[in-house]
Amino acid sequence: MAEEETDVSFKELGVVDVLAEACERLKWKTPSKIQKEAIPLALEGKDVIGLAETGSGKTGAFALPILQALLEKPQRLFALVLTPTRELAYQISEQFTALGSSIGIKCAVIVGGIDMYDQALMLAKKPHILIATPGRLVDHLENTKGFGLRSLKFLVMDEADRILNMDFEQEVDKILKVIPKDRRTFLFSATMTKKVQKLQRACLREPTKVEVNNKYKTVDNLVQSYLFIPVKFKDVYLVHILNELSGNSFIIFSSTCNNTQRLALMVRNLGFNAIPLHGQMSQEKRLGALNKFKSKNSAILIATDVASRGLDIPHVDVVINFDIPTHTKDYIHRVGRTARAGRSGKAITFVTQYEVELYKRIEELLGRQLPLYTTEEAEVMQLVERVSEAQRFTRIEMKDAEDRKMAARKKKRGQDEDDTEEASGVRKKFKKKRTN
């Protein structure tokens, strides 16, 4: 039976030749589990709810049926994909563009951090596929003249649980009110939360549910362990592991933007090629950081949970949870960045004296105890002096950067005040003329 499953091709699922050939060009040899289950149902015209682990090929599961339907009845503003983050939106766009390259598909990405006017010009060209974050899409629906979604034939909500956890419920409600009721809807999520169930009832018609994973599961070829350390030596242990496992590529997860920036500067000061990725960076810098890491120009990506879900970077060897996630389920998504597409991977979680309870919740979620990652304490402590010096340089760099920001803000405030005074002077002159 297992052999029969591996032999199934995209053509056998009902995918037309031109799209099956596009899959071959992308080196998608056989459909993933979620693709095998969801694509035939979607091609039959059904609404689909797909529950699948992160990195399971969900984008292909909804992109292929949409592109096939578009080939049958070509039109502009054909499908809308809603997604929680900017990075995921760009990644989905890349996959649509790659799959539809030979049939002239036009995609537009509508996310925050990009000029509204430039986006309005893209929307005026009426792309076939629109990939958007809910907040920015609502901005355009309310403010961009002539833009509407009345002709829409498909709605996809990708990472639906995360869209709702990020408090986009109001925006999603507004979008549902202005799109046609006569449409096809695909809802994909890693977990089926109460909010997702409520959304399912609101926007899907007699959906078929496809579930290809246990509720909270990590892949078998992922080696997971923990490291119990005093909080004051976290940086030292991090540097030790980067040295010990050098030659691998890493994603290091930190809980805050500030700490992400600090860690990136500190390990750079120790000679590692590291790049940060967090929500306070501009969209251009975030995409630049991702591209550097994807193209292997940098072996270490230090990130907040902005990188924990949906991003497809196949070559990640090691995930380090420098800070334990506050939401236990986020652990599954973080460690899912490695051991993808059949590769093996490592995940190491730092546990300090203040994080024992959070860590216990992770083990409860996994239903098992993880092994201790073994280190020689004496060997680690030899790094203390070098790390302390790097920390000192990092503090100076961060203070300089903050001072530059403050100076720029003051300068801008001064310009704004000058502009206000000038405007006030013009108003006074105008009033004086009218009085005379």
Side-chain angles (χ1 to χ4, degrees), residues 405-423:
K405 272 188 203 167
M406 288 286 286
R409 279 198 288 267
K410 276 182 187 173
K411 189 178 177 185
K412 188 176 186 307
R413 252 200 320 268
Q415 283 172 348
D416 290 345
E417 282 166 12
D418 289 346
D419 291 346
T420 307
E421 278 178 34
E422 191 179 328

Side-chain angles (χ1 to χ4, degrees), residues 7 13 18 103 118 159 164 199 226 231 233 238 244 267-268 277 287 296 347:
D7 287 340
L13 293 182
V18 67
I103 55 174
D118 290 343
E159 304 279 4
L164 299 173
L199 180 63
Y226 76 96
V231 71
F233 292 126
L238 176 64
E244 187 179 59
V267 298
R268 274 185 203 163
L277 178 68
L287 286 173
K296 303 186 183 181

Side-chain angles (χ1 to χ4, degrees), residues 226-231 237 349-356 359 372-373 375:
Y226 76 96
L227 192 52
F228 188 67
I229 46 179
V231 71
Y237 273 87
T349 299
F350 286 11
V351 187
T352 70
Q353 63 269 43
Y354 306 112
E355 295 167 317
V356 175
Y359 179 68
L372 180 70
Y373 185 86
T375 53

Side-chain angles (χ1 to χ4, degrees), residues 50-118:
L51 297 181
E53 66 200 37
T54 183
S56 60
K58 284 183 281 182
T59 306
F62 60 76
L64 287 166
I66 287 171
L67 291 173
Q68 190 148 318
L70 184 58
L71 274 171
E72 289 165 13
K73 288 186 182 174
Q75 72 161 61
R76 298 290 179 154
L77 288 175
F78 187 72
L80 166 65
V81 182
L82 289 179
T83 183
T85 67
R86 303 169 188 182
E87 286 74 23
L88 189 50
Y90 280 102
Q91 187 169 288
I92 291 168
S93 174
E94 282 171 16
Q95 289 215 350
F96 264 105
T97 304
L99 286 167
S101 59
S102 61
I103 55 174
I105 292 301
K106 296 281 181 282
C107 296
V109 176
I110 303 299
V111 296
I114 306 291
D115 184 74
M116 283 273 290
Y117 180 71
D118 290 343

Side-chain angles (χ1 to χ4, degrees), residues 241-403:
I241 287 172
L242 292 176
N243 278 325
E244 187 179 59
L245 301 178
S246 66
N248 288 293
S249 62
F250 298 81
I251 295 184
I252 300 163
F253 284 103
S254 171
S255 57
T256 66
C257 298
N258 191 60
N259 203 34
T260 299
Q261 194 68 32
R262 181 190 73 80
L263 285 172
L265 288 171
M266 184 197 75
V267 298
R268 274 185 203 163
N269 283 328
L270 287 161
F272 295 99
N273 188 358
I275 43 174
L277 178 68
H278 56 76
Q280 287 178 4
M281 292 164 67
S282 70
Q283 184 59 30
E284 195 180 343
K285 283 185 178 173
R286 282 161 74 167
L287 286 173
L290 263 180
N291 289 334
K292 273 185 191 171
F293 188 63
K294 277 184 173 182
S295 61
K296 303 186 183 181
N297 285 343
S298 179
I300 303 169
L301 182 70
I302 302 176
T304 56
D305 278 318
V306 78
S308 70
R309 279 174 73 166
L311 299 183
D312 187 20
I313 307 165
H315 68 273
V316 179
D317 302 307
V318 185
V319 165
I320 297 176
N321 288 304
F322 185 84
D323 295 319
I324 291 184
T326 316
H327 300 293
T328 314
K329 291 170 201 168
D330 286 340
Y331 173 85
I332 303 290
H333 303 303
R334 286 182 178 189
V335 300
R337 297 307 94 213
T338 185
R340 294 169 77 81
R343 289 165 57 101
S344 60
K346 277 191 179 73
I348 304 165
T349 299
F350 286 11
V351 187
T352 70
Q353 63 269 43
Y354 306 112
E355 295 167 317
V356 175
E357 279 307 310
L358 281 174
Y359 179 68
K360 277 184 181 171
R361 282 184 222 159
I362 289 169
E363 289 195 327
E364 280 169 24
L365 185 79
L366 295 171
R368 64 193 175 101
Q369 290 188 331
L370 298 182
L372 180 70
Y373 185 86
T374 53
T375 53
E376 290 293 332
E377 191 182 342
E379 201 178 308
V380 177
M381 290 301 113
Q382 286 174 7
L383 294 166
V384 169
E385 201 172 311
R386 278 183 62 211
V387 171
S388 297
E389 189 179 6
Q391 287 169 332
R392 187 169 62 80
F393 281 128
T394 301
R395 281 193 295 272
I396 293 165
E397 283 178 88
M398 289 190 78
K399 189 179 182 309
D400 286 349
E402 191 53 42
D403 289 347

